[in-house]
Amino acid sequence: MSVRVRRIYEPPEPDDGLRVLVDRLWPRGLAKDEAHVDEWPKALTPSTELRKWYHGGGSYEEFRRRYEAELDAPEAAELVDGLRKAGRGKRVTLLTASKSPEQSHAQVLLELLKG
């Protein structure tokens, strides 16, 4: 499985493969028909409480730990398995509006899918 993270505001590329929005909220200022999103599994996104805690000054390491715990929940775990199956033999591109994707939930999800 080939998986990567890209900002959703970047134009789609032919080698994106399956484009999966991993943010709970739709990105501001982006029309849905321009985003070219194939899937939007909201149960894979951090909870509203966790997202607000992190953006309120929480540490990335603690955010990561809490988000990984959320991803262990049955519905999220099933979606992770589904993405792994969908990505067999092709690329999966995780899309986020985060200004720092390398310090976001998308990075945690990327590492989980690769592992």
Side-chain angles (χ1 to χ4, degrees), residues 68-114:
E68 287 172 347
E70 288 185 356
L71 290 172
D72 283 340
E75 185 179 4
E78 187 176 320
L79 288 169
V80 168
D81 286 342
L83 273 182
R84 282 190 180 116
K85 288 175 186 171
R88 287 191 184 131
K90 66 178 174 181
R91 171 166 280 169
V92 173
T93 300
L94 305 176
L95 303 167
T96 182
S98 175
K99 292 179 183 176
S100 301
E102 64 283 347
Q103 291 279 305
S104 75
H105 64 289
Q107 184 67 31
V108 176
L109 190 53
L110 170 99
E111 291 171 14
L112 179 67
L113 288 168
K114 283 187 169 182

Side-chain angles (χ1 to χ4, degrees), residues 21-76:
L21 179 60
V22 294
D23 292 348
R24 186 167 296 266
L25 305 174
W26 187 261
R28 290 182 185 172
L30 185 64
K32 290 188 179 184
D33 60 337
E34 293 174 9
H36 302 279
V37 170
D38 297 311
E39 294 184 21
W40 187 14
K42 293 179 187 174
L44 272 183
T45 67
S47 65
T48 300
E49 297 80 16
L50 180 56
R51 183 175 45 81
K52 287 181 178 180
W53 174 85
Y54 182 49
H55 292 295
S59 75
Y60 179 69
E61 290 309 315
E62 180 63 16
F63 167 77
R64 174 187 208 90
R65 188 187 67 71
R66 292 180 185 189
Y67 181 44
E68 287 172 347
E70 288 185 356
L71 290 172
D72 283 340
E75 185 179 4

Side-chain angles (χ1 to χ4, degrees), residues 1-4 15-19 87 89-93:
M1 170 182 198
S2 173
V3 61
R4 68 178 177 178
D15 67 339
D16 279 347
L18 181 67
R19 292 174 52 89
K90 66 178 174 181
R91 171 166 280 169
V92 173
T93 300

